[in-house]
Amino acid sequence: MKFLLLLASCAFALPQNKPAGALYFLDSDPAGASVVSLPIRQNGLLGHPSRTSTGGLGLIGNNMNGPVTVDPVFSQGAVTIKGNRLFTVNPGSNTLAYFRIPRNDPTHPVLIDTIDTQGTVPNTVAYSDKNKLACVANTGSKPGVQCFRVSDCSSLQAVGGFKPLPVLNQTTPLLGPANTVSQVLFNPSETALFVTIKGDGTNDGFIFAYPVVDGQVQETPVQSRPAGVPVTFGFNFVTDSLAVVATPAYGAAFVDIGADFTATVSTQVRVPGQRAVCWTAFAEATQSTYLLDAGVAALTTVDPQTRAIARTVPGIPTANGYFDGVVGGTKLYALQASSGITIFDIQNRSNGPFTVDLTSFGNRASWIGMAVYMN
Ligand SMILES: *[C@@H]1O[C@H](CO)[C@@H](O)[C@H](O)[C@H]1NC(C)=O
Ligand SMILES: *[C@@H]1O[C@H](CO)[C@@H](O)[C@H](O)[C@H]1NC(C)=O
């Protein structure tokens, strides 16, 4: 009898038409931001996109030529998922948005709360499940980190002080990509919160680390300015003591993280023919990091053992380049410079790549951030 009940409940939990998961990015539309969700089929391919309001406004930053047409807030990690929690930012209304992802309907995340980020132009968010803390970085005229206590179904609560970041004299509208925050991220053991800040575009950028002590993110960061990483952009950890940091100056750097959370460059990885490597995606299964280049339609894989390029994976030529990307199952999903998403099979190189054309789905200029939920 018990066995039958178990079968019945499993059948209920896994209806045949349920997607394997969902892929998400932020539409940082100044008229009203939304999370765009695409169902991930059992074969890893994507279904039709839909939007869910984030309860706030987006923003499209400027570069020296005026409003940008890609990369609206110059960041990695604009959408962050752990378990069934999804966090994103409203860069135009200075709030953090917190959603629950329904297991049986992941493309319709449910907004639980929005809260003031204390600064201006939040552009990246990290979540620690161990500490039940979401931390957001602001990159506007009031730049800094603010953390929030997260609970299952109730509102977010600001915890700790506002922690200023070295983003100097930022303007309204936001001017980038130099002189902006790139990403906030907890290390794998969730014992410190790391932030990358680009610097002035010529000199080395910054890596700040806020230790977590007794579940509290400390107010004073360990400040590093590792020599040889100008425009410190997106990054990921391989382990607590090793990270890969993208730099559009030459590709990426392997960065050693000391027991005291100081960051030093171990190896510079020069990517031949690179235009602007700014984003990274980490594949847990192989420990590989994929580098994404805003101006080149290919992925560069770097191997933590050799600390060198393992291979180059050609993308879709019409993609023109890649922005944020994320690994889900055996696929890597990359936001194209052109209006669409490329799906790379990271296990079977003869399968794909495939592209999903999103030209009819609104304005590409305001899209950023990539995250997955897998059932
Ligand atoms: C920022 O602005 C202040 C006040 O105008 C000025 O003194 C300072 O030099 C500026 N810093 C940078 C890095 O531009
Ligand atoms: C790899 O993908 C190709 C093309 O879809 C397919 O024919 C082949 O069977 C796949 N190989 C494996 C091992 O799944």
Side-chain angles (χ1 to χ4, degrees), residues 43 56 72 77 88 99 102 111 115 119-120 163 220 240 251 290 294 328 353:
N43 62 6
T88 190
F99 292 84
L111 184 61
I115 191 165
T120 57
K163 307 172 219 320
T220 308
D240 272 348
Y290 293 85

Side-chain angles (χ1 to χ4, degrees), residues 238-253:
V238 180
T239 63
D240 272 348
S241 56
L242 184 65
V244 180
V245 182
T247 168
Y250 55 82

Side-chain angles (χ1 to χ4, degrees), residues 186-204:
F186 284 91
N187 62 355
S189 64
E190 302 171 43
T191 54
L193 175 74
F194 285 74
V195 191
T196 47
I197 305 119
K198 296 179 191 71
D200 65 7
T202 307
N203 297 298
D204 294 320

Side-chain angles (χ1 to χ4, degrees), residues 80-83 85-87 96 98 125-136 146-152 156 159 184-194 210-217 237 240:
T80 291
I81 291 174
K82 191 75 174 274
R85 302 181 203 272
L86 183 152
F87 299 90
L96 170 64
Y98 167 37
V125 54
Y127 176 64
S128 163
D129 199 46
K130 178 175 148 188
N131 301 296
K132 299 284 184 280
L133 288 173
C135 296
V136 61
Q146 180 66 50
C147 295
F148 301 89
R149 179 82 52 214
V150 177
S151 64
D152 265 330
L156 299 164
V159 286
V184 275
L185 192 63
F186 284 91
N187 62 355
S189 64
E190 302 171 43
T191 54
L193 175 74
F194 285 74
Y210 300 87
V212 180
V213 178
D214 297 331
Q216 306 286 332
V217 174
F237 287 94
D240 272 348

Side-chain angles (χ1 to χ4, degrees), residues 272-316:
Q274 80 99 31
R275 299 275 302 278
V277 172
C278 295
W279 291 270
T280 72
F282 183 62
E284 199 82 50
T286 56
Q287 302 279 291
S288 297
T289 294
Y290 293 85
L291 307 178
L292 299 109
D293 187 319
V296 178
L299 298 178
T300 302
T301 315
V302 291
D303 175 354
Q305 298 305 319
T306 58
R307 302 201 177 186
I309 294 173
R311 76 178 75 94
T312 303
V313 184
I316 303 279

Side-chain angles (χ1 to χ4, degrees), residues 3-375:
F3 181 64
L4 276 177
L5 273 174
L6 189 66
L7 271 181
S9 63
C10 287
F12 177 73
L14 295 164
Q16 301 242 294
N17 62 350
K18 194 176 59 129
L23 175 71
Y24 309 84
F25 62 85
L26 172 65
D27 184 350
S28 179
D29 182 345
S34 53
V35 171
V36 178
S37 316
L38 300 98
I40 298 176
R41 308 287 183 214
Q42 297 298 334
N43 62 6
L45 300 184
L46 300 170
H48 292 292
S50 57
R51 291 174 191 283
T52 307
S53 169
T54 54
L57 305 179
L59 174 148
I60 296 174
N62 284 9
N63 63 19
M64 57 199 284
N65 302 316
V68 297
T69 55
V70 286
D71 194 17
V73 288
F74 315 111
S75 69
Q76 177 164 311
V79 183
T80 291
I81 291 174
K82 191 75 174 274
N84 69 343
R85 302 181 203 272
L86 183 152
F87 299 90
T88 190
V89 286
N90 285 310
S93 49
N94 307 326
T95 58
L96 170 64
Y98 167 37
F99 292 84
R100 180 178 54 82
I101 300 172
R103 189 157 193 264
N104 287 296
D105 189 16
T107 56
H108 295 100
V110 178
L111 184 61
I112 294 175
D113 195 20
T114 61
I115 191 165
D116 191 330
T117 59
Q118 312 283 326
T120 57
V121 195
N123 69 340
T124 171
V125 54
Y127 176 64
S128 163
D129 199 46
K130 178 175 148 188
N131 301 296
K132 299 284 184 280
L133 288 173
C135 296
V136 61
N138 296 274
T139 195
S141 53
K142 190 180 174 199
V145 171
Q146 180 66 50
C147 295
F148 301 89
R149 179 82 52 214
V150 177
S151 64
D152 265 330
C153 294
S154 63
S155 52
L156 299 164
Q157 266 188 306
V159 286
F162 184 76
K163 307 172 219 320
L165 290 172
V167 172
L168 303 170
N169 300 348
Q170 217 1 300
T171 53
T172 305
L174 184 67
L175 181 65
N179 193 34
T180 56
V181 175
S182 300
Q183 188 179 7
V184 275
L185 192 63
F186 284 91
N187 62 355
S189 64
E190 302 171 43
T191 54
L193 175 74
F194 285 74
V195 191
T196 47
I197 305 119
K198 296 179 191 71
D200 65 7
T202 307
N203 297 298
D204 294 320
F206 303 85
I207 300 179
F208 278 22
Y210 300 87
V212 180
V213 178
D214 297 331
Q216 306 286 332
V217 174
Q218 300 300 287
E219 300 300 320
T220 308
V222 175
Q223 303 187 12
S224 299
R225 200 169 184 184
V229 201
V231 199
T232 316
F233 216 112
F235 72 109
N236 61 263
F237 287 94
V238 180
T239 63
D240 272 348
S241 56
L242 184 65
V244 180
V245 182
T247 168
Y250 55 82
F254 279 94
V255 169
D256 289 327
I257 310 292
D260 59 354
F261 305 124
T262 53
T264 48
V265 171
S266 112
T267 315
Q268 293 178 319
V269 181
R270 290 176 189 279
V271 176
Q274 80 99 31
R275 299 275 302 278
V277 172
C278 295
W279 291 270
T280 72
F282 183 62
E284 199 82 50
T286 56
Q287 302 279 291
S288 297
T289 294
Y290 293 85
L291 307 178
L292 299 109
D293 187 319
V296 178
L299 298 178
T300 302
T301 315
V302 291
D303 175 354
Q305 298 305 319
T306 58
R307 302 201 177 186
I309 294 173
R311 76 178 75 94
T312 303
V313 184
I316 303 279
T318 55
N320 299 330
Y322 292 112
F323 291 74
D324 241 340
V326 68
V327 172
T330 59
K331 304 295 187 286
L332 186 151
Y333 303 93
L335 187 61
Q336 301 175 175
S338 59
S339 210
I341 292 166
T342 299
I343 305 164
F344 294 90
D345 190 320
I346 58 174
Q347 270 187 0
N348 179 356
R349 277 185 273 157
S350 1
N351 191 32
F354 305 98
T355 185
V356 176
D357 185 347
L358 295 175
T359 40
S360 58
F361 197 70
N363 179 13
R364 167 67 187 87
S366 49
W367 301 351
I368 197 59
M370 291 284 263
V372 288
Y373 168 82
M374 301 301 285
N375 260 318

